[in-house]
Amino acid sequence: MRSDVVPQAAEAVQVLADRILSQIACLYCTHQISPTPVQQQMLNSHVQAMASRSLSGEALPEVEAELFDDISPATLALAQQVVDLFGNLPVEEAWLLSVHIEVAKSNDA
């Protein structure tokens, strides 16, 4: 988290991130996805950044869709489900989030 964020904004980001992470935990449980502790820490950090962008309106740098061609449609759909929880983030957020999900899904493969 950036140090220049005012405490109220930081708290709002944390509350939103925690809410989304709890819903991701439910999705992971439903789909029997088990991230390692390191994967969970990386996911937590990414969701925190997503929450910050959601509340601040900050845009992502340009992301090329072709980079995510190897991500399964089911994983992309799960990632989009999570992004939709924010209500105001672009599809590129789902592409980036899908990498976390795809990697965690491969733990049981």
Side-chain angles (χ1 to χ4, degrees):
M1 177 98 47
R2 296 184 348 223
S3 61
D4 62 336
V5 175
V6 294
Q8 297 87 349
E11 184 177 339
V13 167
Q14 189 63 55
V15 167
L16 178 56
D18 288 346
R19 182 173 62 81
I20 300 297
L21 284 165
S22 72
Q23 292 177 319
I24 291 172
C26 291
L27 281 173
Y28 274 19
C29 186
T30 300
H31 294 276
Q32 292 145 355
I33 300 170
S34 303
T36 66
V38 170
Q39 290 167 348
Q40 186 64 49
Q41 185 177 14
M42 292 173 71
L43 175 68
N44 293 354
S45 178
H46 187 175
V47 171
Q48 190 97 15
M50 291 171 71
S52 179
R53 286 190 291 275
S54 175
L55 293 173
S56 72
E58 178 186 347
L60 279 172
E62 191 171 320
V63 179
E64 295 181 31
E66 303 80 43
L67 295 174
F68 305 92
D69 285 347
D70 292 338
I71 303 292
S72 73
T75 298
L76 284 169
L78 273 179
Q80 187 61 56
Q81 222 179 315
V82 171
V83 169
D84 289 346
L85 295 171
F86 287 97
N88 65 342
L89 294 177
V91 68
E92 291 85 355
E93 294 278 6
W95 300 343
L96 295 170
L97 183 63
S98 72
V99 175
H100 292 281
I101 298 170
E102 192 79 5
V103 170
K105 282 173 68 174
S106 71
N107 292 335
D108 299 326

